[in-house]
Amino acid sequence: QVQLQESGPGLVKPSETLSLTCTVSGGSISHYYWSWIRQPPGKGLEWIGCVHYSGSTNYYPSLKSRVTISLDTSKNQFSLKLSSVTADDTAVYYCARDWELGHWGQGSLVTVSS
Amino acid sequence: SSDLTQDPAVSVALGQTVRITCQGDSLRSSYANWYQQKPGQAPLLVIYGKNTRPSGIPDRFSGSSSGNTASLTITGTQAEDEADYYCNSRDITGNHLVFGGGTKLTVL
């Protein structure tokens, strides 16, 4: 059974870059699309973007200018970078597999604060 | 605002049937997926595609679609079904995912 686990700093300063990694176990990352989704406290879900195992990416238009998603097949990981963060980027960040989002990580709370 | 529209809250009596709806232009060309989220947990896929349940999802969950509206139906609702439910689909370009704002289901 495939499992996903997010990791990264829980606190990021305003204007800096948020960086998270998702480690995939129980299956190869060299298949499927791999997505990042976020959920601000008490609010709904927002898709950030995805990366295909070929390396191609798709980003949500409103975040596209600040987002980079990449993968490292040697480590079976993919990562998220979100630049120039503000308090509005405070959220639980989830990684998930494929367009159906059938497998999710447990989520990682990232707070943007000085 | 969300690209897909859901009622913020719905309630249902224990054992009864409830329908949760999701509206949006993208649903005319893409199926909706449905997720259940309980407090403090990651979302769980309960319906995807035309009407497919992942392994382990009870058959009381079903999905349907007509025009720009997708529906999640829970038949014989159980207390453990109380949760937030989100729909999503590909957008009209097919290159992005969009979510509904979520529906809080209360089981009375």
Side-chain angles (χ1 to χ4, degrees):
Chain A
Q1 175 77 336
V2 64
Q3 292 186 318
L4 294 83
Q5 177 69 58
E6 304 88 351
S7 59
L11 181 64
V12 180
K13 290 182 169 56
S15 80
E16 296 189 344
T17 296
L18 178 159
S19 296
L20 292 170
T21 297
C22 182
T23 300
V24 179
S25 58
S28 173
I29 200 171
S30 296
H31 299 88
Y32 304 108
Y33 286 83
W34 301 91
S35 284
W36 287 98
I37 305 99
R38 68 180 182 178
Q39 185 171 36
K43 296 187 178 181
L45 300 167
E46 180 180 41
W47 184 76
I48 299 170
C50 67
V51 59
H52 188 243
Y53 69 89
S54 66
S56 66
T57 54
N58 295 79
Y59 301 135
Y60 197 61
S62 66
L63 297 171
K64 184 176 182 178
S65 64
R66 298 194 291 131
V67 173
T68 302
I69 299 175
S70 59
L71 52 75
D72 185 338
T73 55
S74 67
K75 295 181 179 179
N76 230 37
Q77 296 175 335
F78 63 107
S79 64
L80 168 70
K81 292 188 185 298
L82 181 65
S83 64
S84 304
V85 297
T86 70
D88 289 343
D89 295 310
T90 293
V92 175
Y93 285 77
Y94 294 100
C95 56
R97 192 183 83 174
D98 216 353
W99 287 102
E100 288 77 24
L101 309 178
H103 298 273
W104 295 63
Q106 65 184 26
S108 178
L109 175 62
V110 179
T111 301
V112 178
S113 175
S114 55
Chain B
S1 64
S2 301
D3 294 84
L4 298 174
T5 301
Q6 297 182 243
D7 291 328
V10 171
S11 60
V12 60
L14 184 67
Q16 296 304 300
T17 296
V18 63
R19 176 173 293 182
I20 299 169
T21 61
C22 174
Q23 288 188 305
D25 288 340
S26 62
L27 298 177
R28 296 186 184 278
S29 56
S30 295
Y31 288 116
N33 304 312
W34 290 93
Y35 305 86
Q36 175 192 72
Q37 187 179 34
K38 296 181 179 179
Q41 297 183 16
L44 173 70
L45 179 68
V46 294
I47 292 289
Y48 67 97
K50 188 174 183 179
N51 180 21
T52 303
R53 285 176 288 105
S55 175
I57 301 302
D59 61 5
R60 64 179 180 271
F61 291 89
S62 63
S64 61
S65 182
S66 177
N68 72 336
T69 301
S71 300
L72 172 70
T73 300
I74 310 174
T75 304
T77 307
Q78 302 299 303
E80 61 263 32
D81 299 332
E82 186 164 285
D84 294 328
Y85 289 86
Y86 293 91
C87 63
N88 79 358
S89 77
R90 301 255 196 144
D91 72 356
I92 56 175
T93 72
N95 294 324
H96 314 110
L97 283 177
V98 291
F99 278 96
T103 297
K104 182 176 182 59
L105 176 66
T106 299
V107 180
L108 304 172

